[in-house]
Amino acid sequence: MTISSKIDPFTLEIVKDSLLAVGDEMFVALARTSMSPIIYEVLDYASGLTDAKGNLLTQGNGVTGFIGMLTFMVKETLNKYPGDQLKPGDIIIINDPYQGGGSHLSDVGLVMPIFYEGEIIAFSANKAHWTEVGGKDPGSFTNDSVDIFQEGLQFSCLKLFDEGKVNEALIEIIRSNVRFPDLSLGDMWAQIAALRTGDRRLQELCEKHSKETILAAIDYLLDHGEEMARQELKELPKGTFYAEDFIDTDGLGNGPFPIKVKVTITDDEFVCDFRGSSPQVLGPVNCSYTGLVSAVRTIFLAITNPAQDVNDGVFRPLTVIVDPKSIMSAERPVPVSNYFETLLGSLDLVWKAMAPHLPNRLTAGQFLSVCAVTLSGTHQDTGEPFLIVEPSVGGWGASNRKDGESGQFCIADGETYNVPVEVAETRYGVMLDEYSLRQDGNGAGAGKYIGGKGVIRSYRALSDGQAVTATFGRNKFLPWGIANGRDGSPNEFCVIKADGETDGPYGVYPRYKLNTNDVVRLMTGTGGGYGDPKERPAVQVAMDVKNDYFTVEEAREHFLVEVDPETFDYKELPGR
């Protein structure tokens, strides 16, 4: 008989929900105390608790792509500090992408063992995108690095605090090697505050319910997650499903790079086999195995039970297989700063393989890129350096019952946000000329249900000597439609010079120089359509034209509907 079976189910449920609440409080604490807009506005971070073995118990997420990365951070900590080498008051710092960090160096993880009565009962952990960790370019993640050493400081699972005493030498190394030390160190202290919140709350739960009850509730939480996942797994179509696609470029002009997956679903297992995909590449789109697992966990949740609270029990039926040193299981010292493009591509393969078989759960293809932008320069009023670091929104694919969502972040960015226009114009040396939905003009995303629209976001430089680095993946291979729905449009950007000359469009470009009144125009993709465009009601097509989703010409060519541009009266053309 297990300990959990001796405890009444009401107490187990109360403690389970209390653990979830601890994760939520940690998440809020970090946002409220951080220094950087990329954290407190965008929410580019994750926080949560694991059990004493590193199994995830609860995770508060801004970035969906971080699902599972806390687990790997804690397990690497246990691997490096076995036995009694971890003490109360220790805090570990880790961003090594190959050994538990999982993403890129900018995403800095902190891990804190939680002791009760002299025993580690859990870990408090978080992972947040620092504005700066050094490296050759402002913002640290760049699209033309050739090895990991160009991308910033590497924290290979080091003790930031040793029994409560801060490692001052490490703090000084950080302060001396990042361009915005107040922001980076301020965010570090915010992460520490969140860790200590988790520690304090879990100890309070032990005091209230006893350590034995908490440990029993942890086992119950993980087993409950597994049971829920296996119930959903039984409802999925069984068999083997395939998909292939490409990663556009490595940032150095090489590519495209083929990627593939074989998804095998039984009553007991969900296996994703990526063997045969491209080997790791020269440029920084390589993704570690940890990143791959996090990607697959994200789409696994979407397929099985999107409303399920995340813990490691949920993923017990999931297996991820890949060749060593592939583009999605990279090994030191290849660069990884734009790992997110391959993470998203890997996730999309599973999505693409399963979407035709799960029409009530999965949509057509989305714009599928972080569309990351870093813009640096000197503020025109203060003379101080500034740095914009942000993702971009775009269009999601249509489903079999509704149009796609417009102006949303990609799936791996989850519940993140743009930096508000007012904040950007106040803190940075730019003016936002435009922030609007994109009209493609070529029928992109047309269907019975149309793909969501991408956006246009234009930054006007207000000082000379600014530089923008943009990584807009899914520039060559478009978001895919389903059931005769049209593909979406590419992610791209151009620069409109002060003299009116336009340069571009580009997908990936490092450090494009901007001077006063130059405008960088960022354009994200429209999602794929679902179903034959001729089946879209003509009255809805007329409304689409009125709303500037499609032009009169697009309505005629792709939907076979003639729309009057003045009155928006319409008539159906032969062939509908």
Side-chain angles (χ1 to χ4, degrees):
M1 180 179 291
T2 62
I3 296 176
S4 60
S5 65
K6 301 177 182 178
I7 301 171
D8 69 86
F10 300 103
T11 300
L12 288 175
E13 280 292 326
I14 290 170
V15 176
K16 175 176 74 73
D17 289 344
S18 296
L19 292 171
L20 297 175
V22 172
D24 290 342
E25 186 176 357
M26 292 170 61
F27 186 84
V28 172
L30 206 167
R32 290 173 67 90
T33 54
S34 67
M35 298 290 288
S36 302
I38 189 68
I39 296 178
Y40 68 73
E41 292 285 2
V42 177
L43 304 185
D44 192 347
Y45 70 98
S47 65
L49 298 171
T50 77
D51 69 4
K53 297 178 181 178
N55 297 306
L56 188 68
L57 301 178
T58 173
Q59 181 162 332
N61 255 58
V63 176
T64 314
F66 285 168
I67 290 175
M69 290 193 184
L70 301 185
T71 296
F72 285 88
M73 285 164 39
V74 175
K75 289 188 175 181
E76 177 62 17
T77 298
L78 287 166
N79 181 58
K80 187 165 183 179
Y81 300 98
D84 61 354
Q85 293 186 39
L86 290 174
K87 307 290 185 182
D90 285 355
I91 295 179
I92 309 302
I93 185 169
I94 178 172
N95 71 345
D96 186 326
Y98 320 101
Q99 300 294 327
S103 51
H104 54 188
L105 299 180
S106 298
D107 297 327
V108 179
L110 298 186
V111 174
M112 181 180 186
I114 299 176
F115 285 80
Y116 189 78
E117 296 178 347
E119 175 188 357
I120 295 178
I121 58 170
F123 285 86
S124 179
N126 54 40
K127 185 178 188 67
H129 187 121
W130 287 12
T131 299
E132 258 282 327
V133 289
K136 75 182 185 68
D137 285 354
S140 302
F141 69 98
T142 182
N143 53 32
D144 66 348
S145 52
V146 297
D147 58 44
I148 191 68
F149 307 106
Q150 294 185 327
E151 297 181 344
L153 290 169
Q154 300 177 60
F155 307 121
S156 54
C157 207
L158 307 172
K159 284 196 177 184
L160 178 62
F161 278 77
D162 191 351
E163 295 188 72
K165 183 178 180 181
V166 66
N167 186 337
E168 295 287 358
L170 183 52
I171 298 293
E172 277 307 306
I173 289 173
I174 295 170
R175 189 184 303 280
S176 301
N177 285 276
V178 304
R179 294 171 179 85
F180 297 87
D182 289 345
L183 294 181
S184 296
L185 291 174
D187 293 337
M188 181 195 76
W189 287 108
Q191 289 179 257
I192 292 167
L195 294 182
R196 289 173 173 168
T197 297
D199 179 29
R200 184 167 59 253
R201 293 291 181 256
L202 197 58
Q203 295 209 33
E204 290 172 356
L205 286 175
C206 287
E207 293 288 343
K208 183 176 182 180
H209 295 285
S210 82
K211 180 178 72 174
E212 291 70 27
T213 300
I214 299 304
L215 295 177
I218 286 172
D219 290 340
Y220 169 71
L221 178 63
L222 293 170
D223 291 343
H224 180 261
E226 179 182 6
E227 182 180 353
M228 295 287 288
R230 292 197 183 280
Q231 287 179 3
E232 293 291 336
L233 193 59
K234 292 177 181 178
E235 303 300 318
L236 297 181
K238 305 303 185 294
T240 302
F241 311 90
Y242 300 88
E244 297 183 3
D245 213 322
F246 296 88
I247 303 299
D248 282 357
T249 176
D250 64 352
L252 302 177
N254 305 307
F257 304 102
I259 55 175
K260 60 177 65 176
V261 74
K262 178 175 72 173
V263 180
T264 302
I265 303 176
T266 69
D267 281 337
D268 301 310
E269 283 190 301
F270 191 106
V271 180
C272 296
D273 185 348
F274 293 91
R275 286 176 294 187
S277 296
S278 169
Q280 60 190 30
V281 299
L282 295 176
V285 296
N286 298 291
C287 181
S288 71
Y289 179 73
T290 300
L292 173 64
V293 172
S294 296
V296 177
R297 285 183 167 197
T298 300
I299 193 64
F300 176 77
L301 280 173
I303 288 171
T304 54
N305 188 0
Q308 174 69 39
D309 294 317
V310 177
N311 65 62
D312 264 6
V314 172
F315 304 114
R316 286 173 179 168
L318 178 62
T319 300
V320 180
I321 305 170
V322 66
D323 294 318
K325 293 189 176 181
S326 95
I327 195 172
M328 54 189 70
S329 62
E331 298 179 17
R332 182 179 294 280
V334 297
V336 296
S337 64
N338 288 334
Y339 80 99
F340 41 77
E341 296 301 328
T342 298
L343 181 151
L344 280 159
S346 306
L347 181 161
D348 191 56
L349 283 177
V350 181
W351 189 339
K352 189 176 184 180
M354 297 309 304
H357 310 283
L358 294 167
N360 294 323
R361 193 53 69 86
L362 297 176
T363 68
Q366 57 153 309
F367 75 114
L368 202 79
S369 175
V370 170
C371 292
V373 179
T374 58
L375 200 164
S376 60
T378 302
H379 197 284
Q380 73 282 355
D381 295 329
T382 65
E384 295 294 321
F386 73 86
L387 177 64
I388 296 173
V389 181
E390 68 174 353
S392 306
V393 298
W396 279 58
S399 74
N400 64 345
R401 58 190 181 279
K402 66 186 291 290
D403 294 342
E405 305 295 336
S406 298
Q408 300 295 312
F409 283 104
C410 68
I411 182 171
D413 267 336
E415 296 181 5
T416 49
Y417 298 87
N418 270 135
V419 174
V421 171
E422 297 83 359
V423 173
E425 292 185 340
T426 300
R427 295 194 59 158
Y428 309 131
V430 297
M431 183 75 71
L432 265 88
D433 281 7
E434 179 182 7
Y435 196 16
S436 64
L437 294 181
R438 181 181 182 184
Q439 188 180 66
D440 295 285
N442 59 4
K448 179 179 180 180
Y449 299 101
I450 64 173
K453 292 297 179 181
V455 304
I456 298 173
R457 188 171 172 98
S458 296
Y459 286 109
R460 179 180 296 272
L462 298 182
S463 60
D464 290 341
Q466 297 187 13
V468 61
T469 294
T471 304
F472 279 44
R474 191 61 76 174
N475 174 255
K476 298 175 182 176
F477 300 92
L478 304 178
W480 36 272
I482 294 180
N484 295 319
R486 282 183 57 84
D487 290 347
S489 58
N491 301 304
E492 56 193 358
F493 73 96
C494 64
V495 176
I496 305 170
K497 301 294 185 63
D499 61 7
E501 178 189 350
T502 298
D503 190 15
Y506 298 103
V508 175
Y509 202 108
R511 300 172 303 281
Y512 193 108
K513 297 300 182 184
L514 303 175
N515 289 317
T516 302
N517 285 323
D518 289 346
V519 176
V520 57
R521 195 167 192 250
L522 309 167
M523 299 168 284
T524 59
T526 290
Y530 200 112
D532 191 332
K534 296 190 292 295
E535 295 180 15
R536 189 168 180 81
V539 63
Q540 184 62 59
V541 175
M543 287 299 298
D544 294 337
V545 173
K546 185 176 182 179
N547 290 330
D548 286 336
Y549 290 170
F550 295 100
T551 64
V552 170
E553 291 74 22
E554 287 176 292
R556 183 187 307 117
E557 178 181 353
H558 300 286
F559 297 92
L560 297 183
V561 176
E562 189 74 52
V563 180
D564 187 304
E566 300 294 331
T567 65
F568 300 104
D569 291 336
Y570 62 90
K571 65 177 181 180
E572 299 187 15
L573 299 175
R576 278 183 65 87

